[in-house]
Amino acid sequence: MAQRTDGATRRAQIIDVAAGLFRERGYHETSLETLAAAVGIRKASLYYHFPSKDAILLEIHEEMIEHLLGRARQRTGSPTERLRGVMRDLVELMELFPGRLQIFFEHYRELPSAQRVASTAKRDEYHAILVGILRDGVAAGEFAVDDVELTALSILGSCNWTYQWFRPGGRLSAAEVADGFLRVLLGGIAASGQPSTS
């Protein structure tokens, strides 16, 4: 007798398979019929879990941003400790959600306008948390930052781009990559005694 799949497990399976198809075929080129066949269920059963392809994409985005926001909101300690935690959270997405992260970053603009506005608000909140950490660090004398907005964008760019090259189980763990980024950020790469470009 076949083992019955519960609703939560089936939804997770659908999202995983959808993410793979979106990466391989493209979002617009992946039909619900193709997705249902890949999952091994009828199209009607797929509709029971997700009423549309947009709903699957939204679920992927909500899962990622809610995870990051939840972690960032709970961060305590010094500005440096909080910044390390935020950077680790970003890079560790590759270990937690390896099959979904590319979809999160590359298909954001495919969201319907109303959902995209809501998602943008959450992304803006996350950005504001990071900027707040940097400002706290400046006030505490831990960071010497002239432009916190530019620095925040630099941090997000370096951490977010890891989805292009980081592979779980490789030479460095996600935490080690994030800590390496932080060391470069805090110490710079100029050798001692080299002239400043400012």
Side-chain angles (χ1 to χ4, degrees):
M1 181 177 179
Q3 186 177 8
R4 185 174 182 178
T5 303
D6 63 53
T9 300
R10 179 65 79 190
R11 283 177 66 88
Q13 180 192 19
I14 291 170
I15 292 172
D16 283 338
V17 173
L21 289 173
F22 294 164
R23 288 196 312 273
E24 295 167 8
R25 296 168 174 250
Y27 178 72
H28 292 295
E29 288 70 26
T30 301
S31 68
L32 289 177
E33 291 85 353
T34 300
L35 175 56
V39 175
I41 60 176
R42 294 176 299 172
K43 187 176 178 181
S45 299
L46 180 62
Y47 279 125
Y48 173 79
H49 295 284
F50 293 100
S52 67
K53 193 167 59 174
D54 289 343
I56 299 172
L57 185 61
L58 178 62
E59 182 91 358
I60 292 173
H61 279 80
E62 286 295 297
E63 182 179 40
M64 301 290 108
I65 194 62
E66 286 294 341
H67 171 81
L68 289 173
L69 272 176
R71 300 276 292 177
R73 289 165 179 159
Q74 296 172 4
R75 288 287 170 199
T76 59
S78 71
T80 300
E81 290 169 340
R82 286 153 55 202
L83 181 57
R84 176 181 290 108
V86 164
M87 293 176 72
R88 283 185 174 187
D89 289 341
L90 286 166
V91 183
E92 285 174 351
L93 287 176
M94 275 301 298
E95 292 180 336
L96 296 172
F97 309 102
R100 306 179 188 184
L101 202 55
Q102 181 179 344
I103 309 306
F104 177 70
F105 286 124
E106 295 186 0
H107 293 276
Y108 168 70
R109 289 178 178 79
E110 310 290 348
L111 286 169
S113 57
Q115 286 82 2
R116 190 167 64 248
V117 168
S119 182
T120 297
K122 293 179 180 180
R123 287 175 179 237
D124 288 347
E125 180 186 351
Y126 190 78
H127 180 85
I129 290 173
L130 176 55
V131 168
I133 292 172
L134 294 173
R135 285 181 174 147
D136 289 346
V138 172
E142 295 183 27
F143 306 149
V145 177
D146 295 327
D147 189 331
V148 293
E149 290 286 348
L150 183 61
T151 303
L153 291 172
S154 175
I155 292 168
L156 292 171
S158 60
C159 291
N160 290 347
W161 193 249
T162 55
Y163 87 91
Q164 289 279 2
W165 56 265
F166 178 79
R167 296 294 177 266
R171 182 172 65 88
L172 298 174
S173 68
E176 289 171 330
V177 169
D179 290 352
F181 285 164
L182 181 61
R183 284 193 298 274
V184 172
L185 181 69
L186 296 179
I189 61 173
S192 176
Q194 292 298 308
S196 170
T197 60
S198 60

